[in-house]
Amino acid sequence: MDPYVSTTELNLSMGEAPYDDLEHEGLLLPDIIKLPSLKKLTLCDVEVHSIDLEHMIRRSPVLEDMHFVNCAHHLELVESNMLKRLTIDGFFDRGKGLTIAAPHLIHFECNGWPLEEISWQKRPSLESAHIDTWCSKRTFDGQYDLTGMVLHAKRLALCGSDIKAVLEKELRSCLVFDNLVTLEIGGWCLTNDLYVVVRFLQLSPRLEKLTLKQRELQKVTKGEETSSIPVAGMAFKCPLLETVVIQCSKDDDEIEKTVNAMAAHGIGLEKIQVIFYEDIERAERWGKSLEEMKEHDILEKARKENRERVDDCNAGSDNNDEDDDEMEEEDDDEMEDEDDDDDDF
């Protein structure tokens, strides 16, 4: 690859690395990359060190969008005054933790990296965020100030037990999310633990769509317990809220409690929709939306019923033919009997 390419977008992938190759040997960034026009960079299955990234950012002065996908991160610092979007999706060998210094960041996405290992300098004011964290079992007694960074966001997806621990502390004294329109939240057992959800609704007067993600049954640890804060007496007003989607496993027998709890807080049942993770995964395998899969299932059901009707009609027709044959045989027998009587006379 020419290290002095004039391009606005670069996708650098070294192929799919095996999950047991934690060191990503040989999957390294080039020593020198100078891309003065580069705006978007995607690194997939690449070993990334802080010094390499620092050099690349310095030689790419308009770089504003970075994606790390299943990379081996030996990063301690991501620093850029131009960066607007940062995605960390999967990782190998996290190292000592990550510090982000990007004051103009407007979107942050992080999947699988423990929240406790991410610290911030020059805190941004995010317009959107998608954070799905691993369980670190931390209580976050210190002030992480996640809510301060997302206070003016329009779209938020916050999932995982780390998120729950942070929000339980910070939402108590949080200001109002005046711009928040779409909220996706959960990743823990919501059935008896709705404090974070209800408190968020109290602080989100412009919210239009809410998605609750019940923890998948296959991820439940036997004997695991979650602490919950009572929600009795907590009320909220979300006059613009039109849709509440609850995602859960098909075998989750207690999800009705969550539906009833939302209804008890004044959300009409006509606004609540339950979607199963199994259906979501099936739609993703087929490369279709849930609506398309629903239409497909309706058509398949109609075809099956039509085939069954045709089979029943054919079976009925066969039975009628047999009945006709029997009637003809009976008629023939009767005529023969009549002929015999005539001969007697």
Side-chain angles (χ1 to χ4, degrees):
M1 182 184 70
D2 184 352
Y4 298 96
V5 179
S6 176
T7 182
T8 60
E9 182 172 343
L10 176 62
N11 296 304
L12 183 57
S13 174
M14 297 299 183
E16 185 175 353
Y19 276 82
D20 56 355
D21 181 14
L22 297 181
E23 295 184 359
H24 273 46
E25 292 180 359
L27 308 181
L28 301 170
L29 288 177
D31 293 335
I32 299 175
I33 297 180
K34 187 175 182 180
L35 301 168
S37 301
L38 183 65
K39 289 188 176 182
K40 181 178 180 180
L41 172 66
T42 300
L43 301 178
C44 181
D45 293 302
V46 177
E47 187 171 343
V48 184
H49 292 262
S50 291
I51 188 66
D52 299 326
L53 187 62
E54 180 185 350
H55 290 164
M56 178 178 285
I57 291 175
R58 188 183 305 136
R59 294 185 176 94
S60 306
V62 295
L63 180 60
E64 59 184 27
D65 195 339
M66 287 200 303
H67 297 251
F68 300 115
V69 182
N70 287 336
C71 290
H73 296 287
H74 305 289
L75 293 175
E76 295 181 12
L77 177 65
V78 174
E79 183 173 12
S80 172
N81 289 326
M82 292 297 298
L83 196 62
K84 293 183 179 180
R85 298 173 185 85
L86 176 62
T87 298
I88 303 174
D89 189 355
F91 59 86
F92 293 89
D93 190 13
R94 298 187 306 273
K96 300 179 181 179
L98 177 64
T99 298
I100 301 173
H104 298 111
L105 203 66
I106 60 174
H107 175 76
F108 177 63
E109 183 169 347
C110 179
N111 295 306
W113 197 308
L115 203 60
E116 65 174 336
E117 296 186 10
I118 299 176
S119 58
W120 296 83
Q121 294 178 3
K122 305 176 184 178
R123 289 178 176 272
S125 179
L126 300 172
E127 294 180 5
S128 60
H130 185 134
I131 304 175
D132 193 343
T133 67
W134 275 21
C135 175
S136 66
K137 298 182 180 180
R138 277 200 56 185
T139 56
F140 293 93
D141 293 327
Q143 187 68 16
Y144 192 83
D145 196 26
L146 173 65
T147 53
M149 289 188 293
V150 301
L151 191 62
H152 303 293
K154 295 180 180 179
R155 296 173 300 279
L156 289 177
L158 304 173
C159 301
S161 55
D162 279 1
I163 287 290
K164 173 179 176 289
V166 171
L167 293 179
E168 282 181 343
K169 296 183 179 300
E170 296 188 7
L171 288 177
R172 296 173 185 268
S173 57
C174 184
L175 298 176
V176 174
F177 296 90
D178 279 327
N179 299 325
L180 190 61
V181 174
T182 302
L183 174 63
E184 179 179 310
I185 196 165
W188 61 88
C189 182
L190 294 168
T191 305
N192 299 308
D193 197 351
L194 280 172
Y195 171 79
V196 169
V197 175
V198 175
R199 182 57 179 154
F200 235 118
L201 292 174
Q202 287 183 325
L203 299 170
S204 307
R206 297 180 183 274
L207 194 66
E208 298 176 6
K209 181 178 180 179
L210 172 66
T211 300
L212 301 179
K213 302 191 70 171
Q214 171 77 337
R215 183 176 49 188
E216 296 182 52
L217 289 181
Q218 63 185 14
K219 296 182 179 180
V220 175
T221 303
K222 187 176 181 180
E224 182 179 354
E225 296 182 358
T226 58
S227 60
S228 60
I229 300 175
V231 296
M234 295 180 64
F236 58 82
K237 291 183 179 179
C238 294
L240 303 180
L241 186 61
E242 292 295 331
T243 305
V244 177
V245 176
I246 302 177
Q247 297 180 3
C248 65
S249 301
K250 282 187 176 181
D251 295 332
D252 194 336
D253 298 330
E254 294 192 340
I255 199 61
E256 187 176 352
K257 293 182 180 180
T258 305
V259 174
N260 293 337
M262 299 308 294
H265 279 85
I267 297 177
L269 290 175
E270 72 279 1
K271 296 182 178 181
I272 301 176
Q273 179 183 6
V274 176
I275 298 177
F276 300 121
Y277 290 124
E278 292 85 350
D279 291 337
I280 296 173
E281 293 171 0
R282 179 166 167 259
E284 290 175 349
R285 286 197 305 269
W286 281 65
K288 298 179 179 293
S289 66
L290 286 170
E291 291 75 14
E292 290 172 333
M293 287 303 301
K294 185 176 181 180
E295 292 177 1
H296 172 270
D297 292 341
I298 292 173
L299 288 174
E300 284 298 311
K301 182 179 180 181
R303 288 171 183 165
K304 181 179 179 181
E305 291 175 348
N306 186 54
R307 285 195 298 268
E308 291 175 349
R309 283 196 296 268
V310 170
D311 292 341
D312 291 341
C313 289
N314 291 336
S317 177
D318 292 340
N319 291 333
N320 290 335
D321 291 341
E322 292 176 359
D323 293 340
D324 291 341
D325 292 340
E326 291 177 358
M327 291 178 64
E328 289 177 1
E329 291 177 358
E330 291 177 358
D331 291 340
D332 292 339
D333 292 341
E334 289 178 358
M335 290 179 65
E336 289 178 358
D337 293 339
E338 291 175 359
D339 291 339
D340 292 340
D341 292 340
D342 292 340
D343 291 341
D344 293 339
F345 284 110

